[in-house]
Amino acid sequence: MTEPEHATSAAVLEIDARIDTAPYPAVVADAAGIVQALNRAARTLLPDVRVGETLTATAPGWLAESHATLAADPTPGPSPGGAAQGWVDRRSLEGHPVRHDDGTVTWWLVDDTDTRLAREALRTEQARTAFLTEVSTALLGSLNLQRCMETTVTLATVNLCDAAIVMAPAGRGGRYPTVTAVRGGEVVHDVLDVDAEEVPGLAEALQGFPPVPSRWLDPMSVPEWLRPTGFGEVGSIVVTPLPGHGVPAGALILVRGAGAAEFSEEEEVVARLFATRAGVAMSAARMYDQQASITETLMRDLLPPTVHQLSGVEFAARYRAAQDGDRIGGDFYDVHPASEEDEESLVVLGDVCGKGLDAAVLTGKIRSTLHALLPLADDHLRMLRLLNGALLNTHDARFATLVLASVARDGAGVRLRLTCGGHPAPLVVRADGRVEEAPTRGTLIGAMPDVGATTAELTLGPGETCLMYTDGITEAKGGPFGDELFGEHRLHRALGECAGMPAEAVVERVQMLASQWLGRGAHDDMAVLAITAPRGQHLTAVGGHGRGRYTA
Amino acid sequence: MTAGQRLTCTWAVAGRRTGRLTIVGDLDYDHADEINRVLVENLGAHPGLRAVHLDCAEVAFCDSYGLAALLMAHRHIRGVGARLHLDNLQPGLTRLLELTRTLEYLTAEAAPSRAEKFDT
């Protein structure tokens, strides 16, 4: 041994005597990485490390590397740089270096396994919370069911698994609409005609029963139809119900490849929390979907028909529903054409009290009842009485107001019989611009046991118009100060300017004026219908409906 | 109409037989239900009423839903054996009640029978 080495060893031995019984492992190595000493705790922890051997050959890699870095760093000082960190078996250690004057370094090794595990758990938990928050935000942003399902599988493949499948409850024909995503791949929609019983727990999950833990599921039992196209061997699988509002929204199936770790218990909990959020979003979307399709269906049936020329009489109508929210309003109109050329057509325009579905249902009832009563249209009062009887109920005071108009071509003019049931009387625009109120009055329909009404009979000369409207027009609130009603006076004046105009132009103008009056204010339903006797020139005009030919 | 004024209904009793509901505001889709809420509560609390007056002096606006509320109020008041009186009707409301032929019905002495129907 040379002199310096001997001196070093002596110094080390001296330190060793004092640190040998210290509770923390300590390893002393010189600048070349040769171990000079180690205490009792270090000998237990690192049985391979011996005095005289190099750290590189015997100590864990992270410690040897940290030591080499430290030795190469000329900066003097007792503890340059930070601590090193690494694993020995299943323990996490922090190495705190202390540099001595002779170039040796003592590494104090502190066990921080518990702290580290706690920190990692915290980080995982934070990441999960962030994930679940992201899930909620992403899912609740859409009320579109398809998009909700897509978002669910995509988020699942990014954060939870290699492939995810959402199976909706069986739809028409007992088939299951599914959406599948493989990490990094496209989202695939499909409708599967399969037996859910083939996957353990799937049939139960689809009915909303609690999930089966993944370790109970044999990945080998996964049927071919569940394996996404291009997906390799299945390693583990979790089937979780998607709980909805009282009814299950379907099932979520998470799949990991054969190489990936199995689902841990905590991951299954996260999967369940994820499924809860996805399920709620999906059932909200499904409910919205159903509602929208109900509205759609009702709309198709309740929406006023487009009207044209019939039997030599011009008809035109406009309808503007109250709000987009409840698109079906309480206003309605119908034109029932006469079966024979010179018989009367029946026009109905009315307003059901209230808005939304309740109003729509009553509207539907009124329209079909009146349709059935068409053969009795020559007696308006009788028709109204029968309708009133059909609508009376005891649980609320919903009612309707309406106008019946029987219309027939009469020479160059048009003969009208008008009867109001609690409705604003139709207005007649004469050729010279005079505006008259049709002299008809009657009881509203559906609220009182008895109804009465007077029928007005009048004739429209060529170019003259009878306008039926709902109170949405006259009660349009707006104007320069935003709180004034459009009112009958303004309607009269506007109509006075419509003398001689065709039916289309009249309804267009009235609707436009009322809309302008409203500005951006909220409004009720607005319906207008014009019946016009065509001006005499269109002798051979065919109104697009075959039997529209007439002579003046 | 969604921009209506708030509706306030104030109940008072004059003697043991007469109730008075003062209505201030708009009788419209958004607010009209209030009158029946207040009515039902007070009709239950004061049995034996013979007459209920609805003071409409300050009813600024009444749409079809408001009218439905009045018809419902009529039903409630009749239900306890009292008669409905509409006080201080303003022209707009009077016009609506006449247009729909509900004025006589609402304020009739007894429930209108078939014989009393206002046929024409």
Side-chain angles (χ1 to χ4, degrees), chain A residues 323 353 355 381 385 393-394 396-397 399 422-423 441-444 447-450 452-454 475 488 522, chain B residues 1-2 26 29 61-65 67-68 71-72 75 95 98-102 105 113-114 117-120:
Chain A
Q323 278 132 8
C353 151
K355 292 177 192 173
L381 180 57
R385 285 216 172 106
N393 72 56
T394 48
D396 62 16
F399 61 84
H423 200 86
R441 282 270 170 110
T443 322
L444 53 78
M448 299 183 286
D450 290 304
T454 48
E475 287 174 8
E488 283 161 39
Chain B
M1 296 297 142
T2 50
D26 287 349
Y29 184 74
F61 173 80
C62 179
D63 67 4
S64 63
Y65 200 83
L67 180 55
L71 286 163
M72 209 60 209
R75 244 182 234 193
R95 204 178 129 56
E98 280 172 354
L99 178 74
T100 53
R101 291 207 181 177
T102 42
Y105 173 79
S113 67
R114 282 231 156 245
K117 67 188 170 192
F118 22 88
D119 206 339
T120 46

Side-chain angles (χ1 to χ4, degrees), chain B residues 66-86:
Chain B
L67 180 55
L70 288 178
L71 286 163
M72 209 60 209
H74 173 261
R75 244 182 234 193
H76 290 310
I77 292 165
R78 271 291 153 81
V80 298
R83 182 178 173 184
L84 168 66
H85 297 270
L86 293 170

Side-chain angles (χ1 to χ4, degrees), chain A residues 121-133 159:
Chain A
L122 179 66
R123 234 194 324 269
T124 316
E125 206 48 54
Q126 281 170 338
R128 281 174 188 165
T129 310
F131 165 58
L132 291 173
T133 311
N159 295 280

Side-chain angles (χ1 to χ4, degrees), chain A residues 270-356:
Chain A
V270 176
R272 226 168 299 162
L273 291 173
F274 170 68
T276 308
R277 283 161 171 74
V280 168
M282 268 184 240
S283 64
R286 181 167 290 123
M287 275 205 296
Y288 181 80
D289 226 44
Q290 277 171 354
Q291 222 132 35
S293 91
I294 290 172
T295 313
E296 204 65 45
T297 311
L298 285 171
M299 281 288 283
R300 216 176 307 132
D301 202 41
L302 296 180
L303 255 190
T306 37
V307 291
H308 294 290
Q309 183 156 315
L310 276 174
S311 309
V313 182
E314 273 181 32
F315 294 97
R318 287 286 183 284
Y319 174 73
R320 186 174 166 192
Q323 278 132 8
D324 288 336
D326 21 29
R327 284 190 299 161
I328 339 160
D331 288 5
F332 61 94
Y333 57 76
D334 269 313
V335 177
H336 301 285
S339 46
E340 300 294 329
E341 183 82 15
D342 44 357
E343 283 182 3
E344 290 177 322
S345 300
L346 183 74
V347 179
V348 185
L349 178 137
D351 179 4
V352 163
C353 151
K355 292 177 192 173

Side-chain angles (χ1 to χ4, degrees), chain A residues 500-515:
Chain A
M501 283 168 37
E504 274 293 333
V506 177
V507 292
E508 186 68 50
R509 174 129 187 96
V510 170
Q511 176 104 21
M512 191 197 76
L513 287 175
S515 296

Side-chain angles (χ1 to χ4, degrees), chain A residues 18-36:
Chain A
R18 276 185 268 146
I19 67 170
D20 199 39
T21 53
Y24 291 105
V27 178
V28 186
D30 64 12
I34 296 165
V35 178
Q36 300 298 310

